Each structure stands twice: as C-alpha cells, then as structure tokens.
Amino acid sequence: AVAEVALRDDQYTLDHMRAFGMFNYLHLDSWYQDNVYYIDQYGRVMNVSVTLDTALQKPREVFRLPTDLAACDNRLCASIYFSSSTWVALSDGTGRLYLIKSGKRGNSASEKWEIVYNEELGNPFTIVHSVSFVKSDKHSVAVLLLRVEKDEMDTKGSGYHIVLEWVTITESSKEGDRRYEIFKRRVLQGKSLPHYAAIEPSGDGLMILSYKPFKFMQDEEEKIEENADEKVTNEKKDPLYYWQQTEDDLTITVPIPEDTVKDDIKVHFSPDNICVTLKDQPALMEGKLYSSVDHESCTWIIGENKSLEISLIKKSEGPRWPELIVGDTRGELIMDPAQRSAIAESLMHLTSEVMNSNPDKEKPPCNAQELEECDAFLEDSASLCRFDGDTLKITHVINLGSNQYLFSVVVDPKEMPCFCLRHDVDALLWQPRSDQPENMWEHIATFNALGYVQASKQDKKFMACAPNHSYAALCECLRRVFIYRQPAPLPTVLYNRKEGRQVGQVAKQLVATLEASDPILGFQATNERLFVLTTKTLFLIKVNTEN
C-alpha cells in the first residue's frame, strides 16, 4: 500500500491540511511520457509505466529508502521531484534529503538509482520543486523544501509559520574525487502556505505565489548591519532651509551659526541657478532653480534671528513652483492659510460630498450596489513575487486581486511549472519565462468556463490539465473524476435550440466513477491519460485525444 501519513493532533491548522493532508502521493515524471512513481509502506520507490495503450506494467522497485520510516515519530509524507532527465531529489519525510543520479528513467535497462548526496537538514520537510543546472562548468541541483514550524512569537494567529528553504548542492572536485556538497542555504518565512513556489531553470531566482508575503531570513550579523543603516536613514533631519512664495517672488530662510558675519557668506545668483556657501565649507544650497528669476533684482540679508534671508524675483509672474531647486528635498515649503484655501477652492470641482451625485448621467461611474457576492474578493488577495537569488530582494510583484489560484502543471520540464488562475468565469494558464524580464509571464492556454465550473465542486481535492492543454480534470476526495475537454468541431450539424443559430464547436464534459471505496491520494494528467491513485489501487483513465 501507499505510504500515507495521517495528520497528527498538533497539525491542526489549515496550512498543515493544505501542505500534508492534501498531499499528492502520485509523482509524475514529466521528462518521460506516461511515467509515474509512488512510495509504498516499505519505503520502496515504485515506478509504473504504460507499455501498451491500456496495459500497465507491474509496479517495479527502483529504489529503497535506507531509513525505517515507521521509526520516526514526527515524520511527514515522503516526496520526490524530478530535477532533470537523470537527476532526482528525494525526501524520506524525516528531514533527510537524498540527491540521486538515476540514469535514463522509464526503462529498466538504463535506469539505476544511485545516491550521490544525502544529508540530514533539520526538521522534516517536503520537496516543493527542484532544478538541475550547470554554471561556470559546475553542475548544481537546487531544491526547495517546505516546512510548517511552530512560531513562539505568534500569539494571535495559528501559532505556526511557513518556512521555505532554498538549498543549492554543487559538484566539488577535490583531487580527482567528484563529490557534491551544499553550496548555499537560504531561508524564507511567511504566514501562509504558498500556492506555487518554483526555482528558475538557471537557479538565479525564485517565484512564489501566496496570500501572505514571504521574506528572506538573514543571519544576525547582517541584520545588525541593516538595522544600523535603517537608523541612519530613518532619523528625520531638520530641513536645511525654508521657503515661501507669492505670485511674483520667493523668500528663502537659511539657519546659520551664531558667529557668522557678512564676509563669511557668498551668494551667487544667475538666471537659472543659485549657490550659497559659508566660509570655506561645501555649498549649503546649490543647483538649478525650478524656473527662471530676474537675477539682477535678487538680494540677501542677515536677519535678526541669525538666519540668512534671500529674496528671489520670478521672471514670469503667476505660476506656482512645486520645488525650489530641481531634485533637492532638503528644503521645506511654508504656505500661509490664504494660499492653502485658494488651492483647495481651485480643486473643489473635482470632488463631491455625494457618492454618485448624478446617477442618470449617460455614463455613470461603477455602482457598488450592483456587485454580486461572487464579485467581492478577499482583502488580503494573493500576490506573485519574484526573488533575486543573489540580492535576496523582490524584483517583481504582481497583485492577483480576485484572480484565484487553481492549480499548477508542468507543460515543458525544461521550463518552470505553469500556474492556472481564474479570470472571471474562465481559467487561464500562465507560463513563467524568467529569461524575459519584460514579459515574465506568458498566457499559453484558456479553459473556457472552468473557473465557474470548479467553484461548484465543493468536494474537489486535486486539479490538473494535460501538458498540451487538450483537457482539464479534477477529482473529488472519493470516487468521482471530472474531465473537461477543449471545444472541438462537430462532425454533424447542430443548432442552438433557443436562438436557432448553428453551433460550430462543442466542449464535452465527462464524469468517471472509480470502483473504489478508498479516498483518492494522488492525481496526475498526461496528454492521453489520467492516473488516479488510492491506497491500494492505481487507476488509469484513457482520455481519448485523437478525436
């Protein structure tokens, strides 16, 4: 039977349920057509591949986990990710990571799984994603690990937080001995389970789609340095000068030291620039003025309260200056109340006390009363972030608003997994392209009305689609599988009964009911078949795509 791990009493949060209770125990090897794996109760990795159209080979053992799974009390489900056509990342659920060179899989002659690296990496985890890449002539495998850990600081929430660990393991050749060792370990933390998390094929970045934001956890030393920098920038400095304006002139006041005399001050006026220096110090004010002044009429004096007062005459009367010196934020504009009320009055026609003051107008603004319940979206809507692997900073953020995440699927194993989002009633499939910063997410397929249909399936457990987008499918916790084909041309003439128009295409929906009383534990779709796993049975549904 499949090595199913039930949730323990302390795994009671929604994140535990999503991460481990809804875990997909069937692993699809996207590098080889129709090749699936599961792990059984003896810790054996079992492979099932399709030979003839409907004939499944007997499950065959390709690898056995060296640890006794039952001996570990707080273990999670064992997980597999196929990093490349010859590399596999494997976790036994006890906190140990195995890196395996498998040879060409899917055929017993060339397939031989050998452990190249194994290491205890702390608390138990599951593998979310993994990639294999070569950089500066060295082979590396990057693995993304997921943990749900207790958070002592969190007294108001669930008491847990999510940890994503991004581990890069690199080949190091010492005296002709080729070994693999950890090159980098980076940890991200967030307060909600990511819907989607994947490493870029080049190993340079990371994309995460989640409700609550994730951020990199730094070492203590880095934190102290960063805090020191923040303190410097956060201390609010007093303005270096204050300025006022009327329609035709500007007055600048610069505080100066008590003992300053007239000879210490140098003020240089030109039509577009100003420069103020004290004794031999660097310039107090210097730069291009926002607009031209009549430089011959400009004056300056030392005021009574030990401040330098400069008077500038505007070349063109009337227009207000938004800033004194272009790009200089060290000064502060002081407005008198009369000026404030004049500005407010000039903007009055743009605002209204009433929400929709003229509802019978030809083009009324959006009316909030017309929105239905399904149009309202959660305040804390999900966002999609890309993190840079070197700086560990976010480079791109997209707020997904009400575009609900549905599922992810590997269309091309060399690229990142795609994710499917609900857009109105449809479901759109997006392919991340990390090598195109201008167009990082490409829309590659649409499933008409799938967003609407899946919302009614209250018992759905897994969703998937064929890599060639020919159909989408979802399964319930027990027995039922729903298949939604893409629209196809009709061989016969069909008319819409209500409107009398001829229908050119029809999208068929199919329902399969499995002869099983055990809950569904795994679900995977290939271009022609659906694989459905229960505790003791693997079902194969041929979704005929030739027609």
Side-chain angles (χ1 to χ4, degrees):
V2 178
E4 186 185 356
V5 180
L7 289 177
R8 303 187 305 272
D9 290 349
D10 60 342
Q11 295 175 322
Y12 54 81
T13 69
L14 181 61
D15 289 327
H16 283 107
M17 184 65 206
R18 280 191 182 141
F20 314 127
M22 304 277 278
F23 184 77
N24 195 340
Y25 286 90
L26 190 61
H27 308 279
L28 177 69
D29 182 356
S30 308
W31 302 86
Y32 300 94
Q33 182 76 30
D34 294 316
N35 204 24
V36 293
Y37 293 80
Y38 67 91
I39 295 166
D40 73 9
Q41 287 175 348
Y42 295 125
R44 299 182 299 177
V45 179
M46 306 299 283
N47 165 246
V48 182
S49 54
V50 178
T51 41
L52 297 165
D53 245 9
T54 49
L56 274 178
Q57 282 188 341
K58 256 182 64 180
R60 64 188 179 91
E61 178 184 336
V62 291
F63 182 76
R64 190 180 290 234
L65 287 166
T67 41
D68 175 17
L69 296 184
C72 180
D73 292 339
N74 64 340
R75 77 183 173 102
L76 301 173
C77 14
S79 49
I80 306 179
Y81 203 92
F82 300 96
S83 322
S84 80
S85 57
T86 55
W87 287 87
V88 183
L90 178 63
S91 150
D92 58 8
T94 67
R96 185 171 278 278
L97 176 70
Y98 296 91
L99 204 54
I100 291 168
K101 200 167 182 179
S102 64
K104 280 199 161 49
R105 299 184 293 271
N107 134 9
S108 45
S110 60
E111 184 167 7
K112 187 173 188 307
W113 289 38
E114 290 172 16
I115 300 176
V116 176
Y117 172 90
N118 85 74
E119 186 81 48
E120 191 71 49
L121 295 179
N123 291 339
F125 56 81
T126 56
I127 298 173
V128 182
H129 186 237
S130 172
V131 291
S132 158
F133 57 93
V134 175
K135 202 183 260 175
S136 53
D137 293 341
K138 281 192 173 174
H139 175 244
S140 298
V141 176
V143 191
L144 199 57
L145 318 175
L146 173 85
R147 299 180 176 97
V148 180
E149 293 186 347
K150 221 166 178 41
D151 187 347
E152 303 302 335
M153 312 293 284
D154 182 10
T155 50
K156 289 200 175 83
S158 65
Y160 286 88
H161 60 227
I162 312 299
V163 173
L164 279 175
E165 186 173 0
W166 177 6
V167 183
T168 307
I169 298 158
T170 305
E171 174 184 27
S172 66
S173 40
K174 288 177 188 157
E175 297 130 29
D177 177 23
R178 288 180 59 185
R179 294 179 48 205
Y180 279 79
E181 47 194 45
I182 289 187
F183 171 63
K184 256 189 196 166
R185 286 180 77 165
R186 288 152 292 192
V187 175
L188 293 109
Q189 206 170 293
K191 289 301 285 179
S192 78
L193 191 82
H195 294 305
Y196 170 97
I199 304 165
E200 294 174 358
S202 60
D204 291 334
L206 182 67
M207 288 185 198
I208 298 177
L209 193 160
S210 63
Y211 261 139
K212 304 267 174 68
F214 272 78
K215 65 170 192 284
F216 275 101
M217 306 311 290
Q218 298 141 322
D219 303 340
E220 290 306 313
E221 291 162 26
E222 284 178 35
K223 260 192 198 161
I224 291 162
E225 274 176 34
E226 201 162 274
N227 288 351
D229 293 347
E230 272 177 27
K231 272 189 190 138
V232 173
T233 52
N234 286 353
E235 284 170 13
K236 201 164 188 288
K237 293 177 180 169
D238 285 335
L240 206 58
Y241 58 89
Y242 298 91
W243 61 290
Q244 290 169 291
Q245 63 178 320
T246 64
E247 286 191 354
D248 36 47
D249 64 11
L250 302 123
T251 310
I252 307 164
T253 309
V254 187
I256 50 177
E258 292 273 325
D259 54 352
T260 311
V261 292
K262 201 170 183 180
D263 293 342
D264 298 338
I265 300 170
K266 283 194 175 65
V267 182
H268 175 69
F269 300 114
S270 71
D272 297 309
N273 287 280
I274 185 170
C275 178
V276 181
T277 48
L278 274 186
K279 288 184 188 159
D280 304 323
Q281 297 172 0
L284 270 178
M285 288 170 65
E286 184 177 22
K288 186 179 186 310
L289 293 165
Y290 176 75
S291 188
S292 302
V293 293
D294 178 1
H295 65 288
E296 287 170 354
S297 311
C298 298
T299 57
W300 63 270
I301 56 166
I302 295 181
E304 290 166 11
N305 52 356
K306 273 298 171 194
S307 62
L308 169 64
E309 288 181 13
I310 303 168
S311 175
L312 305 176
I313 309 298
K314 291 182 182 176
K315 196 101 185 227
S316 46
E317 290 181 18
R320 291 177 36 76
W321 289 18
E323 54 184 347
L324 178 67
I325 295 172
V326 178
D328 188 355
T329 55
R330 298 173 303 169
E332 188 179 305
L333 170 64
I334 295 170
M335 274 195 210
D336 62 32
Q339 278 176 322
R340 282 177 197 274
S341 55
I343 293 170
E345 200 138 297
S346 70
L347 298 174
M348 268 313 268
H349 71 284
L350 299 176
T351 64
S352 160
E353 296 292 321
V354 191
M355 189 69 171
N356 188 358
S357 49
N358 187 2
D360 304 325
K361 199 165 64 175
E362 258 183 35
K363 289 185 178 170
C366 169
N367 190 347
Q369 279 99 0
E370 287 174 6
L371 292 179
E372 293 181 33
E373 194 178 341
C374 64
D375 296 317
F377 63 92
L378 301 157
E379 281 303 314
D380 54 351
S381 64
S383 58
L384 174 61
C385 299
R386 181 203 177 258
F387 291 87
D388 183 284
D390 294 328
T391 62
L392 309 186
K393 295 213 164 26
I394 293 176
T395 59
H396 296 66
V397 179
I398 293 182
N399 187 341
L400 296 177
S402 54
N403 299 118
Q404 175 197 357
Y405 168 85
L406 299 177
F407 63 90
S408 66
V409 59
V410 176
V411 167
D412 175 358
K414 293 186 183 72
E415 296 277 355
M416 297 174 79
C418 299
F419 50 84
C420 189
L421 302 178
R422 180 176 175 174
H423 288 251
D424 201 15
V425 296
D426 299 332
L428 270 58
L429 199 60
W430 297 88
Q431 171 70 67
R433 305 257 187 230
S434 54
D435 50 353
Q436 304 173 4
E438 297 308 308
N439 182 20
M440 209 169 247
W441 293 281
E442 182 189 345
H443 166 225
I444 58 168
T446 302
F447 295 104
N448 297 320
L450 182 64
Y452 181 76
V453 173
Q454 62 81 35
S456 66
K457 303 283 180 273
Q458 295 293 307
D459 290 337
K460 73 167 180 291
K461 185 169 185 179
F462 298 117
M463 260 183 107
C465 77
N468 64 3
H469 350 291
S470 56
Y471 69 91
L474 62 90
C475 72
E476 295 187 338
C477 298
L478 269 172
R479 285 199 190 96
R480 286 202 300 176
V481 176
F482 298 86
I483 298 164
Y484 305 99
R485 291 189 194 283
Q486 289 284 27
L490 286 167
T492 54
V493 179
L494 182 70
Y495 288 93
N496 180 310
R497 209 177 284 169
K498 273 188 185 161
E499 299 166 16
R501 62 183 169 84
Q502 188 174 339
V503 179
Q505 289 187 318
V506 162
K508 290 184 181 165
Q509 300 183 23
L510 312 164
V511 184
T513 305
L514 308 178
E515 294 174 20
S517 50
D518 296 326
I520 294 176
L521 295 181
F523 189 68
Q524 295 290 357
T526 65
N527 289 339
E528 298 189 1
R529 299 172 179 80
L530 261 176
F531 295 86
V532 188
L533 180 73
T534 67
T535 317
K536 297 195 177 73
T537 322
L538 176 66
F539 291 90
L540 186 94
I541 300 170
K542 181 81 193 282
V543 183
N544 214 356
T545 51
E546 293 84 27
N547 184 353

